[in-house]
Amino acid sequence: FSWGVAEEVAKCIRLLELFGFQGIKNLNQYYQSKMQKNFENIRLINQSNKPKEFLFCPITLGVSFLDQIKSIEDLKKCSFKELAYPILLLPFLSRSSEISGKKILFVFDKFEFLLNFNINIYCNTFKKNFPTETRKVDISFLDNKDSFSDQDWNALYKLSEDTFVEESDISKKETAGAGL
């Protein structure tokens, strides 16, 4: 890979390890496999993506995903057939979640990952070993929704009004706020 892509891979493997996934192990397996197999690169990502001959490369897919995130999020959902080392795509998607400002749901085989703005990752399993290839991947962008109702928000705001201090020059100077 080019120096720039290698740098992206390093950042993403670091993220996998920080989130408790086996990044180094999977990257090592990927490179060992890459010496014997061909992986297909993807340039333009569409709603439905299928390789012509070989499994998609998770690294070039991840880099393409980051590069195209603004147009991909408009699709709401996209799928990929035949992907090698799907766990290596995970940190690219996590970073994409932060860039887009939307949660991303990443699903392959029986694994589901909810990516929250590159801050945390929810996974439906504690399993450490993931498949080296998968037949289908689905990626969905989730709408940001409040977890509270307008009624709850208004009730809390009403309660907070009891703590407000009447605004005056003296209150500004002596008691309220952070001062001048």
Side-chain angles (χ1 to χ4, degrees), residues 83-95:
L83 175 65
Y85 295 91
I87 198 67
L88 294 179
L89 181 59
L90 180 71
F92 289 99
L93 298 177
S94 184
R95 292 175 61 209

Side-chain angles (χ1 to χ4, degrees), residues 19 90-98 115 117-119 121:
F19 286 126
L90 180 71
F92 289 99
L93 298 177
S94 184
R95 292 175 61 209
S96 297
S97 174
E98 179 181 26
L115 313 169
F117 317 113
N118 207 23
I119 294 172
I121 297 174

Side-chain angles (χ1 to χ4, degrees), residues 14-101:
R14 177 180 178 266
L15 277 176
L16 276 177
E17 292 291 337
L18 285 172
F19 286 126
F21 299 103
Q22 296 175 330
I24 298 292
K25 177 183 176 182
N26 281 281
L27 183 64
N28 186 34
Q29 288 176 345
Y30 165 80
Y31 281 133
Q32 296 297 322
S33 181
K34 190 171 171 31
M35 287 192 267
Q36 299 163 4
K37 291 182 180 179
N38 290 319
F39 296 118
E40 196 165 311
N41 295 332
I42 187 168
R43 299 288 178 230
L44 183 61
I45 296 174
N46 298 303
Q47 199 157 24
S48 182
N49 304 274
K50 185 177 179 183
K52 292 181 177 107
E53 190 175 351
F54 305 108
L55 296 169
F56 278 127
C57 170
I59 293 172
T60 57
L61 173 55
V63 170
S64 292
F65 206 93
L66 279 172
D67 288 346
Q68 298 173 50
I69 187 60
K70 290 301 180 185
S71 59
I72 297 170
E73 71 179 301
D74 291 339
L75 299 175
K76 304 281 189 212
K77 184 176 183 179
C78 56
S79 63
F80 301 87
K81 302 278 186 190
E82 312 296 328
L83 175 65
Y85 295 91
I87 198 67
L88 294 179
L89 181 59
L90 180 71
F92 289 99
L93 298 177
S94 184
R95 292 175 61 209
S96 297
S97 174
E98 179 181 26
I99 293 167
S100 70

